Amino acid sequence: MTDTTNDPVDGGALPAVPQTNDPGLEAIYRLWIDIIREARMLGGRDAARRLWRSSPLPPLDATKSKKKGDEPPDWVDSFLADCTEPAPGARLKVSAMWETYVAWCKPRGLEPMSQNGLMRQMTARGLRRQKTSCMYLVNLRLRVQ
C-alpha cells in the first residue's frame, strides 16, 4: 500500500513524493513531481497546484483556511513586469488594463481573476486610481509589444 509523507520538499509548499514498495509507481510519482515542478517554474504556484490536483499524487494539505483573495496569485507581478511600465503623468484605462491582462493569461493557461480582484491587487501594489468619465490607473502605461 502507499505510505504518504506530508513533509515539505526543499522548503517548498508541495509535500514529498509518497514512498511505496513498487519501483514503477515511485517512478510515475517522480515523473509527476518533475512535471509539476516545471509547471511551477513556468506558470507559478497556482499552475503547479492545478496540475497537482489532476495528478495521482495525494491531495495537498488543505488545512490552511485563508480567505479567497487574501494572497495574490503569484503571476500578478509577472503580468505587471511583462505588460506595463511606469510613466509619470500617464493614465491607463482600467478596461484596457483588464483586456491586456486576460490576453496575457490565456496563452499561459492561467485563469484570470475578476476585474475587481485585479484592481484590488493594483491598489495593494501602490498604484493609484483616478475616476473621471471612466476609471484610470495613473502614472502607468502599457508596454509596447
Side-chain angles (χ1 to χ4, degrees):
M1 198 47 83
T2 304
D3 176 29
T4 62
T5 60
N6 289 325
D7 299 330
V9 175
D10 299 328
L14 302 177
V17 176
Q19 302 298 311
T20 68
N21 293 330
D22 181 7
L25 189 56
E26 283 190 30
I28 291 170
Y29 285 163
R30 174 54 47 207
L31 180 61
W32 271 101
I33 294 290
D34 292 342
I35 291 169
I36 291 168
R37 185 171 288 123
E38 189 71 20
R40 182 174 181 166
M41 288 190 293
L42 294 173
R45 182 177 51 213
D46 292 331
R49 286 182 178 272
R50 279 194 307 274
L51 191 56
W52 188 286
R53 283 192 297 271
S54 67
S55 77
L57 297 167
L60 294 170
D61 185 68
T63 59
K64 295 178 185 174
S65 60
K66 290 186 178 180
K67 294 180 195 171
K68 187 176 184 181
D70 278 356
E71 187 176 322
D74 50 12
W75 64 79
V76 173
D77 290 325
S78 297
F79 162 71
L80 287 172
D82 288 351
C83 298
T84 65
E85 59 189 9
R91 294 188 317 175
L92 173 59
K93 275 188 174 183
V94 166
S95 59
M97 172 84 137
W98 170 249
E99 290 171 9
T100 303
Y101 170 69
V102 171
W104 181 86
C105 287
K106 190 173 183 177
R108 290 166 178 77
L110 302 172
E111 186 169 335
M113 66 181 77
S114 68
Q115 185 172 353
N116 287 337
L118 181 63
M119 289 306 105
R120 280 192 300 273
Q121 295 302 324
M122 299 301 113
T123 303
R125 284 162 174 74
L127 296 173
R128 291 185 323 129
R129 292 186 278 186
Q130 178 183 55
K131 183 169 181 164
T132 55
S133 58
C134 62
M135 189 66 79
Y136 291 94
L137 291 166
V138 295
N139 300 325
L140 188 70
R141 70 177 171 207
L142 293 176
R143 195 178 295 269
V144 177
Q145 308 259 342

